[in-house]
Amino acid sequence: MNNKNDKNIEKVENLEPCTASEESGKDEQRQYIIFIVGEESFAIDMEMVYEIVRVPETVHVPLAPQSLRGLANLRGKILPIISIRNIFGMDDIPVDDAVRALIVNAGQLLGFVVDKVSSVISVSSSQIEPIKDINSSVKAELLKGVIKNAGNHEMVLIVDFEEIIEQQFSTIKEFDSTGTGFEYTETRETEENNDKEDELQLVSFDVADQKYAIAIENIQEIVQSPERMTAIPRSEDHVEGVITLRNRLLPVLSLRVLFNMSSQQIDDKSRIVVVSKMNTSIGLLVDSVSEVLRISKSDVEPVPAIMSQAGNLTDISGICHQHNNKDTICILSVDSLFSNSTVKEAINSMETVEKASGIEKEDEMKDEDEQMIVVFRLNDEEFGVPITSVQEIVRIPDELTHVPRTPSFVEGVINLRGSVLPVIDMRRKIGLSSIEKSDRQRIMVFLIGQARVGFIVDSVTEVLKVSKSCLEQSPKISAEQSRLIRHVVNIGDENRIIQIMEPAYIVEDIELKELTSMA
């Protein structure tokens, strides 16, 4: 027996070898793993089995066959997990101590969930009978032989896993995934360069019911605030503490306290906006991140002179108004923030902590070695898109204009600064059930071809900087899924899988033409 398989099988509890018959003769002997699904016994050639494991936690994959339970992280590798019960036309059962996943090597590793793994048997070729007149709940085309009187089993059906993969996932062979998953964002440049020069792209956030914003080019990333931070000794009240981010210590300042407002408990909406200048970074604790906006520079008004003298307004470079919801947004100047004496003191305190801890300040990771992604949620699963593909992120207005005779996934159109924007329910587009509207939902605006299209997502959680070393090819599950999700971010130490969507492939060309005509 192959040593690799031998070691893997030894990990499985109560897996005892047995023989199919005394009469092995001189026929070639092969070993099979017997497993149970429902009331029947099945077998798989041991040479195909890479490993047998307990069923890991999975994340849902959109546009995948119903039999796919999801993707799992198996010791740092992304692995599709498939329900064999579903393939056999049976209802799934709860996962208990007996349920196992057979990791099958079929060109790429696939995990098949079975009710129980029973034993290993040695079988000669003469003992394998063809499938005929067999009474089984499983279709005959998914079987390739039967072994009778195998150990304690009256009849064992040999499963044709190659046929299962061909039937369930045949379309993946027709699609060749190439590229980095981020290339389209650079090749689909528009002819709006002049317009971009007259625009500001801002990330807005809430601090004590007031909206503030920072230019997106000054933001390194946005992360969820941890429940606890390490305190910096003898620091000012506005210094919340320090966190470790990307193997670096990051001082975190409370904008509430910095602006002389009342402090507030950190909750699941709290975010840390990481801003950088000259290889120095600070984290700004805010109540929540609201939107990503594009505004004309002509819409930004200077701070009135009498207000600019106020202590907590010296860091504000301009004020703009949102016409849709009449919010006033104060734009913060990163240069002024870093020049603020209290911020300088926090940075100096951080450097003192680094020296006392023996931490050497590393050079920032090169831009070409990292990617910025915007992370959003659908049905409790995390997805991401390259930040360069995101035009803006806005709240859902109270009312959308519904357009008759449009596909079911089209929610309607909205007026976005004088332009008609078609809006798609991302859940319905990728086959998930709809949910009731909530204040956490957002419209993410992507530029697809020459058309701006909005997609409703459950929430936008963070802007994340990831190393290319964390970027992996997504397992090929179906043609649609392979186009839409070519890569995943695999953050092994956090057991976290973020599926990267390609906005250019969310809608088909014919659908895009229809959306363009709506706009």
Side-chain angles (χ1 to χ4, degrees), residues 220-221 243-250 354 359-365 467 493-494:
Q220 179 176 319
E221 55 189 304
I243 63 172
T244 302
L245 185 66
R246 235 76 53 216
N247 298 319
R248 292 285 305 278
L249 295 181
L250 179 77
E354 287 179 332
I359 298 175
E360 294 184 6
K361 190 171 183 178
E362 299 176 358
D363 293 334
E364 293 291 328
M365 191 181 298
S467 167
D493 55 350
E494 298 179 22

Side-chain angles (χ1 to χ4, degrees), residues 386-451:
I387 195 170
T388 49
S389 70
V390 180
Q391 290 283 297
E392 49 193 302
I393 302 169
V394 297
R395 292 180 180 272
I396 302 177
D398 293 334
E399 292 185 4
L400 286 85
T401 303
H402 294 279
V403 181
R405 296 187 297 278
T406 54
S408 60
F409 55 78
V410 177
E411 190 71 16
V413 297
I414 63 172
N415 187 319
L416 187 64
R417 295 188 307 282
S419 299
V420 176
L421 180 76
V423 177
I424 289 173
D425 186 322
M426 181 78 87
R427 278 176 158 267
R428 291 204 296 267
K429 186 66 182 77
I430 64 173
L432 300 175
S433 58
S434 298
I435 59 172
E436 293 184 6
K437 288 184 179 178
S438 71
D439 60 356
R440 291 197 171 200
Q441 288 179 308
R442 292 291 185 270
I443 296 176
M444 300 185 72
V445 182
F446 302 136
L447 185 64
I448 304 176
Q450 300 297 318

Side-chain angles (χ1 to χ4, degrees), residues 290-485:
S290 185
E291 301 166 89
V292 177
L293 302 169
R294 285 182 182 271
I295 61 170
S296 171
K297 290 181 180 179
S298 60
D299 290 335
V300 179
E301 302 174 8
V303 180
I306 191 170
M307 293 177 61
S308 63
Q309 297 174 9
N312 62 345
L313 294 177
T314 55
D315 298 323
I316 297 174
S317 61
I319 296 174
C320 66
H321 302 279
Q322 282 187 277
H323 300 295
N324 290 346
N325 52 26
K326 299 180 180 179
D327 281 334
T328 299
I329 301 177
C330 298
I331 302 173
L332 298 181
S333 165
V334 170
D335 288 339
S336 297
L337 270 175
F338 277 87
S339 299
N340 188 307
S341 59
T342 56
V343 174
K344 283 183 175 180
E345 187 174 342
I347 294 172
N348 291 335
S349 298
M350 187 70 265
E351 292 175 349
T352 301
V353 170
E354 287 179 332
K355 290 178 181 178
S357 305
I359 298 175
E360 294 184 6
K361 190 171 183 178
E362 299 176 358
D363 293 334
E364 293 291 328
M365 191 181 298
K366 294 181 180 179
D367 290 341
E368 59 266 24
D369 292 331
E370 21 177 61
Q371 297 285 353
M372 296 277 284
I373 61 172
V374 180
V375 181
F376 60 93
R377 284 189 174 273
L378 292 171
N379 206 28
D380 293 327
E381 308 294 355
E382 287 189 303
F383 296 87
V385 290
I387 195 170
T388 49
S389 70
V390 180
Q391 290 283 297
E392 49 193 302
I393 302 169
V394 297
R395 292 180 180 272
I396 302 177
D398 293 334
E399 292 185 4
L400 286 85
T401 303
H402 294 279
V403 181
R405 296 187 297 278
T406 54
S408 60
F409 55 78
V410 177
E411 190 71 16
V413 297
I414 63 172
N415 187 319
L416 187 64
R417 295 188 307 282
S419 299
V420 176
L421 180 76
V423 177
I424 289 173
D425 186 322
M426 181 78 87
R427 278 176 158 267
R428 291 204 296 267
K429 186 66 182 77
I430 64 173
L432 300 175
S433 58
S434 298
I435 59 172
E436 293 184 6
K437 288 184 179 178
S438 71
D439 60 356
R440 291 197 171 200
Q441 288 179 308
R442 292 291 185 270
I443 296 176
M444 300 185 72
V445 182
F446 302 136
L447 185 64
I448 304 176
Q450 300 297 318
R452 280 196 176 113
V453 184
F455 294 86
I456 298 175
V457 299
D458 294 0
S459 63
V460 177
T461 56
E462 59 187 307
V463 177
L464 191 62
K465 182 180 287 188
V466 297
S467 167
K468 284 187 176 179
S469 62
C470 296
L471 197 66
E472 297 182 11
Q473 290 277 347
S474 176
K476 299 176 183 180
I477 306 300
S478 70
E480 285 183 291
Q481 171 266 342
S482 297
R483 281 192 295 268
L484 178 61
I485 302 174

